[in-house]
Amino acid sequence: MRILVVEDEPTLCNSLRAALESRGFVVETAPDGEEAAFLGSTEEYDAVVLDLGLPRLDGISVLRAWRAEGRNFPVLILTARGGWSEKVAGFEAGADDFLAKPFEMEEVIYRLRALIRRTAGHGATLIDVGPLRFDTVSTRAYVNSAPLDLTAQELRILEYMVTHRGRTLSRTEITEHVYDRDFDLDSNVIDVLVGRLRKKIGAPLIHTVRGVGYRLSESPDA
């Protein structure tokens, strides 16, 4: 899953990035509101961690601009401001969750995963597709209760496909959500990794939609 972290304090920003990357997220960062507004308007993210007290353009203004443009990715606000009025302003601007500093890194991770699940229409932490089970908390996959041995890249692709099970995903969409901006969109890496996933899963759950991409479902006609 691809995350944008908007935080102007370098130490905290680096700590957030390291913590999220250690849990399998692809992380990009923005140090000010203007860059954040641009990235959120032009790039695809599964969620955003947004500080309110930003240079150049404050977090509330950034969030309002995104929502006005129809950008619907979930936003977790981080702020040192503890007053209720700031929380109300954040939620009215379109925030999905709110976490005051100081905070535990694990809580940020759990809240992000919960937001991503809810945005995709999943309430439970365990997602089943036929014999495949994906644990969104531990980010581990199982087939018939046996754990799958997946590389980091395979795991990122499978997590995105499971979260959007039943929907046809283009290669470009998959790439945009599991790699950063510098990844070569013309690469055949996605096809290779999907082929590996098919072999490891065993069951016919990943279906090719010719000319479009892939769909994870129990039925090829879902």
Side-chain angles (χ1 to χ4, degrees):
M1 297 292 183
R2 190 177 175 197
I3 305 296
L4 174 63
V5 173
V6 185
E7 171 58 58
D8 64 315
E9 204 288 302
T11 300
L12 178 56
C13 186
N14 290 335
S15 295
L16 282 165
R17 180 170 196 157
L20 291 169
E21 288 180 341
S22 72
R23 298 297 291 271
F25 290 101
V26 174
V27 181
E28 296 178 5
T29 62
D32 61 68
E34 287 186 358
E35 184 173 347
F38 173 76
L39 290 176
S41 297
T42 58
E43 299 292 333
E44 296 297 326
Y45 297 104
D46 293 288
V48 175
V49 178
L50 176 66
D51 187 23
L52 290 187
L54 298 169
R56 297 189 179 180
L57 190 63
D58 66 273
I60 295 295
S61 297
V62 171
L63 181 53
R64 284 176 178 155
W66 287 338
R67 296 312 192 214
E69 295 169 353
R71 307 297 279 176
N72 295 319
F73 39 66
V75 173
L76 170 62
I77 286 181
L78 301 180
T79 181
R81 305 173 187 175
W84 176 243
S85 61
E86 285 77 16
K87 292 184 180 181
V88 170
F91 286 128
E92 288 181 342
D96 297 275
D97 201 358
F98 199 105
L99 191 58
K101 302 174 184 177
F103 51 80
E104 296 293 333
M105 290 296 175
E106 283 297 305
E107 184 172 4
V108 176
I109 293 167
Y110 286 131
R111 285 181 184 245
L112 280 176
R113 292 204 180 280
L115 288 175
I116 292 169
R117 286 200 311 272
R118 289 202 298 268
T119 301
H122 307 302
T125 59
L126 300 176
I127 302 176
D128 295 322
V129 184
L132 173 68
R133 165 165 286 188
F134 194 91
D135 186 331
T136 62
V137 175
S138 66
T139 61
R140 294 178 181 174
Y142 305 83
V143 172
N144 295 321
S145 300
L148 290 181
D149 183 15
L150 302 176
T151 66
Q153 291 185 335
E154 292 166 352
L155 184 61
R156 287 200 298 265
I157 291 176
L158 182 60
E159 181 179 14
Y160 189 74
M161 297 183 81
V162 166
T163 304
H164 298 86
R165 70 187 190 278
R167 184 162 73 82
T168 300
L169 307 171
S170 70
R171 292 170 179 83
T172 298
E173 179 180 353
I174 295 171
T175 300
E176 287 177 337
H177 285 269
V178 300
Y179 291 101
D180 60 27
R181 285 173 287 161
D182 297 327
F183 185 77
D184 180 8
L185 291 178
D186 295 325
S187 173
N188 67 348
V189 169
I190 298 298
D191 295 326
V192 172
L193 292 173
V194 168
R196 292 181 186 172
L197 282 171
R198 280 177 166 149
K199 291 180 180 179
K200 291 184 178 183
I201 293 172
L205 298 179
I206 301 178
H207 310 286
T208 299
V209 180
R210 294 192 180 279
V212 183
Y214 300 102
R215 181 178 59 245
L216 179 71
S217 62
E218 292 185 70
S219 169
D221 300 320

